[in-house]
Amino acid sequence: MGYGQQDSQELLSYLLDGLHEDLNRVIDKPFVEIKEDDTRPDEVVAEESWNNHLKRNRSRIQELMHGQFKSRLDCPDCKKISITFDPFMMISLPIPTVEYTKFFLYFVFNSHDRIPIKITFNLPSNSSYSEILSKLQEIVKVPKKNIVMGLLKEHKLIEYVEAKVDALYLKEHAGILFAYEVSPTPFDPNYGKKSTQDDSTAVTDEEPTQMETENDEDPSSLIQTLLRVYIQAEAKAFYDSEKTISYTRLVKFEPSDSFKDIHLKIFERMRHHIAKYLDKEKGIKNAIKLDDRSRTTIEKEYSTLFPEDNESAWMYKVHLINSSKEDPRTGKKIPCEICQKAKCTRCLFPYEDTKFESYLEKMKLAPKDIIFELKLASKSVKIDSLSLNQCTEHKSDDNETNPNRNYNIYDCINLFTRKEKLEKDNAWYCSKCKNHKEALKKMEIYKVPPVLILHLKRFKTSKTSSIGPFYWSQGKKITAQIDFPIQGLDLSNYVLGKDKNAIYDLYAVSNHYGGLSGGHYTAYAKNPLNGNWYDFNDSRVSPVKENEIVGAAAYVLFYRKRESPSAEK
Ligand SMILES: [Zn+2]
Ligand SMILES: [Zn+2]
């Protein structure tokens, strides 16, 4: 073994493997063919693999210490699934070392009369987009598939958040995170249709009904544009995101909509706020009929509030932010399609019949490039009474995500059994794709042995290299304390196989003190005769109290299975 052997876990594997081979009753190991058949039930394949293992390995060590893993690999490309059952002598458990990241987002409901929520999260930094969405879904009760996230800066969309990001990215980005509820269908399925007399059929946002078949459509692929509401007089304060007069809303329309249609849809998005304002400030009760979302009604209200011949009466003006592109043929900026000016950044959006798709096409713009701004008539509109800037707060449960809590052995097992994507340099060869793939891997415990050895992976070995007796490492030792039970470690929920008896009691611990390059080992072990624990430290043996066994030095844990759950001491 030489000088290089410094690790008690490595020594142990080496020793047990050697002992097993020396004690192996199988002298001539038969060749065992491995059948690849994914269609058979786990039980059959697991048993076959185990029997194959026994054909070559029969020893006291095997009987006491060998268990069986189930490992599943999913090819990301061809969807091939490979399931194997492999023997183990020790389970190396990863230690959760996740840092937590605190960040917030604004959630804006689709329903006009629900005010946005500012939600503060405290999540593991590597939480995936999907995990963040799941948390969000729990809080706002909106299905994941109906949520789109965007990063906004100065009320402009920097980017739609996509699957590749994690929590840390969301914290460290430059913008403010917004999440929008979108229904995969336009706001009101009755919108644009001729109004019927039966208003009770009006579909509310909470009940996507007969349109559910379209739900497979990616909501971010539909045209939806951010709607920023601003007021000139407060322009200075406006860019300070905390003092905005409106949380940026989302409006959805279709490519075939005309400019008029879009005006009406924006108005429709604003109606609830305008109604509140008219009621509060002007004492006008029935100018807007919120229950009625038919086009006829909306159009009528619009023409009353926005008379064509009297611009000064308008509550707001709609501007289209012009993010003009270069013409690939001429290399010049494409002039504004609306005002024809070469340098137009913000254009008054006319109320006319032009189709929006023809504007997009001529400007070479994608739907997500589009942002509308509403400039409020500053003198006549009181901002507060519009309630566009209202928001409630939600803080996620701190107990659940408290970064300072102690992890326990079950957290490590959970992490061990979690699906993980293989790194590039550890890619899996997919026999169907005939190529190495960064497959999804999931490890699970199928069968547990009478003596279970759990190794806490305290040393990051990823960048360790050794030449002769010397070690270099850029890794570090994880010194966090992992709590583990001395009596009654219960793995029955983790064991997939049919023998669910998996209650264990601790009988020894290998401790490691110090850092990566050096350090000192001691061991705790229980005397089976008197039931007392002892500390084995070099040549000294001293009694140790049971409540001192669990500590940050614990490195390898030795458990013995209870014969039956009732045989408790
Ligand atoms: Zn223009
Ligand atoms: Zn494949």
Side-chain angles (χ1 to χ4, degrees), residues 277-333:
Y277 162 77
L278 290 177
D279 180 13
K280 223 170 164 182
E281 297 297 322
K282 308 265 173 176
I284 304 170
K285 297 273 179 211
N286 294 315
I288 288 169
K289 296 181 187 71
L290 289 174
D291 297 340
D292 184 354
R293 293 172 74 182
S294 66
R295 186 183 170 109
T296 324
T297 307
I298 289 170
E299 215 169 348
K300 213 164 84 193
E301 288 170 1
Y302 184 85
S303 58
T304 313
L305 289 164
F306 297 84
E308 242 177 300
D309 52 357
N310 185 11
E311 256 189 52
S312 61
W314 298 0
M315 283 184 67
Y316 63 76
K317 284 179 185 166
V318 178
H319 292 269
L320 177 58
I321 298 305
N322 199 338
S323 51
S324 65
K325 294 267 153 73
E326 279 172 10
D327 190 321
R329 282 167 305 174
T330 62
K332 283 182 189 161
K333 289 249 183 208

Side-chain angles (χ1 to χ4, degrees), residues 213-343:
T213 44
E214 288 175 34
N215 277 7
D216 286 342
E217 201 166 357
D218 173 12
S220 60
S221 72
L222 296 167
I223 298 186
Q224 42 218 344
T225 181
L226 298 171
L227 185 66
R228 157 192 164 182
V229 184
Y230 74 110
I231 193 158
Q232 197 72 58
E234 303 225 341
K236 260 187 195 164
F238 189 77
Y239 290 120
D240 184 348
S241 54
E242 301 299 324
K243 290 179 192 164
T244 55
I245 67 160
S246 160
Y247 292 102
T248 303
R249 265 41 180 202
L250 199 67
V251 177
K252 184 179 298 168
F253 56 90
E254 297 179 49
S256 57
D257 281 347
S258 68
F259 286 11
K260 261 185 194 171
D261 293 329
I262 293 170
H263 267 286
L264 293 176
K265 284 184 178 180
I266 292 174
F267 174 62
E268 209 255 359
R269 196 80 180 99
M270 293 291 290
R271 274 170 94 220
H272 186 84
H273 302 283
I274 295 173
K276 231 175 181 175
Y277 162 77
L278 290 177
D279 180 13
K280 223 170 164 182
E281 297 297 322
K282 308 265 173 176
I284 304 170
K285 297 273 179 211
N286 294 315
I288 288 169
K289 296 181 187 71
L290 289 174
D291 297 340
D292 184 354
R293 293 172 74 182
S294 66
R295 186 183 170 109
T296 324
T297 307
I298 289 170
E299 215 169 348
K300 213 164 84 193
E301 288 170 1
Y302 184 85
S303 58
T304 313
L305 289 164
F306 297 84
E308 242 177 300
D309 52 357
N310 185 11
E311 256 189 52
S312 61
W314 298 0
M315 283 184 67
Y316 63 76
K317 284 179 185 166
V318 178
H319 292 269
L320 177 58
I321 298 305
N322 199 338
S323 51
S324 65
K325 294 267 153 73
E326 279 172 10
D327 190 321
R329 282 167 305 174
T330 62
K332 283 182 189 161
K333 289 249 183 208
I334 302 167
C336 174
E337 180 57 26
I338 296 168
C339 70
Q340 308 302 326
K341 282 181 194 153
K343 282 182 187 167

Side-chain angles (χ1 to χ4, degrees), residues 477-488:
K477 184 185 171 185
I478 302 165
T479 53
Q481 173 166 326
I482 303 298
D483 292 334
F484 51 89
I486 292 173
Q487 260 121 42

Side-chain angles (χ1 to χ4, degrees), residues 523-561:
Y524 295 137
K526 190 176 185 173
N527 181 327
L529 300 174
N530 63 15
N532 294 330
W533 284 88
Y534 294 91
D535 180 9
F536 295 79
N537 188 348
D538 289 339
S539 58
R540 213 180 67 231
V541 179
S542 51
V544 60
K545 292 196 188 93
E546 196 173 284
N547 60 15
E548 291 169 43
I549 303 296
V550 178
Y555 181 49
V556 184
L557 311 176
F558 299 80
Y559 279 97
R560 185 169 24 221
K561 200 175 183 177

Side-chain angles (χ1 to χ4, degrees), residues 29-292:
K29 293 187 176 184
F31 173 74
V32 178
E33 203 183 351
I34 293 154
K35 267 196 231 168
E36 202 176 319
D37 183 357
D38 299 329
T39 56
R40 294 179 300 162
D42 278 5
E43 226 176 279
V44 176
V45 184
E47 175 129 12
E48 184 182 271
S49 301
W50 187 249
N51 287 335
N52 284 343
H53 177 61
L54 294 185
K55 279 179 197 160
R56 298 166 56 88
N57 300 278
R58 287 272 186 181
S59 78
R60 195 64 192 132
I61 300 290
Q62 167 265 312
E63 287 156 18
L64 287 174
M65 296 175 178
H66 286 191
Q68 197 180 25
F69 287 141
K70 173 187 177 182
S71 87
R72 175 187 162 135
L73 285 150
D74 284 54
C75 177
D77 294 332
C78 71
K79 309 289 172 216
K80 180 190 159 69
I81 297 165
S82 158
I83 293 171
T84 53
F85 294 85
D86 306 301
F88 69 82
M89 196 167 54
M90 184 183 301
I91 306 180
S92 285
L93 297 173
I95 296 174
T97 52
V98 275
E99 311 257 310
Y100 277 74
T101 294
K102 206 169 189 169
F103 66 98
F104 68 90
L105 58 78
Y106 291 100
F107 187 84
V108 183
F109 290 98
N110 190 13
S111 181
H112 304 194
D113 50 357
R114 296 187 69 184
I115 52 178
I117 316 179
K118 181 182 178 179
I119 301 167
T120 306
F121 287 101
N122 193 14
L123 293 176
S125 306
N126 62 351
S127 297
S128 68
Y129 179 59
S130 169
E131 285 164 335
I132 296 167
L133 278 185
S134 299
K135 280 276 167 200
L136 188 56
Q137 172 177 323
E138 276 172 37
I139 297 166
V140 298
K141 315 282 182 227
V142 168
K144 273 163 107 164
K145 60 176 193 287
N146 293 352
I147 298 175
V148 288
M149 274 195 217
L151 287 170
L152 273 66
K153 197 177 181 184
E154 291 166 5
H155 293 255
K156 291 187 184 82
L157 180 73
I158 310 171
E159 62 179 283
Y160 278 108
V161 173
E162 285 166 35
K164 59 178 190 284
V165 311
D166 58 20
L168 193 63
Y169 175 83
L170 294 179
K171 186 202 166 116
E172 289 176 352
H173 63 74
I176 294 172
L177 187 61
F178 273 77
Y180 292 95
E181 177 188 9
V182 293
S183 64
T185 55
F187 281 111
D188 182 351
N190 295 325
Y191 188 88
K193 285 179 197 157
K194 229 182 141 208
S195 143
T196 57
Q197 311 240 276
D198 185 9
D199 279 342
S200 65
T201 59
V203 176
T204 65
D205 295 308
E206 284 76 17
E207 294 164 3
T209 50
Q210 73 274 24
M211 311 299 270
E212 290 225 314
T213 44
E214 288 175 34
N215 277 7
D216 286 342
E217 201 166 357
D218 173 12
S220 60
S221 72
L222 296 167
I223 298 186
Q224 42 218 344
T225 181
L226 298 171
L227 185 66
R228 157 192 164 182
V229 184
Y230 74 110
I231 193 158
Q232 197 72 58
E234 303 225 341
K236 260 187 195 164
F238 189 77
Y239 290 120
D240 184 348
S241 54
E242 301 299 324
K243 290 179 192 164
T244 55
I245 67 160
S246 160
Y247 292 102
T248 303
R249 265 41 180 202
L250 199 67
V251 177
K252 184 179 298 168
F253 56 90
E254 297 179 49
S256 57
D257 281 347
S258 68
F259 286 11
K260 261 185 194 171
D261 293 329
I262 293 170
H263 267 286
L264 293 176
K265 284 184 178 180
I266 292 174
F267 174 62
E268 209 255 359
R269 196 80 180 99
M270 293 291 290
R271 274 170 94 220
H272 186 84
H273 302 283
I274 295 173
K276 231 175 181 175
Y277 162 77
L278 290 177
D279 180 13
K280 223 170 164 182
E281 297 297 322
K282 308 265 173 176
I284 304 170
K285 297 273 179 211
N286 294 315
I288 288 169
K289 296 181 187 71
L290 289 174
D291 297 340
D292 184 354

Side-chain angles (χ1 to χ4, degrees), residues 87 131 265 348 364 454 489 562:
E131 285 164 335
K265 284 184 178 180
L348 192 67
K364 308 230 180 304
L454 299 178
L489 171 73
R562 279 189 205 162

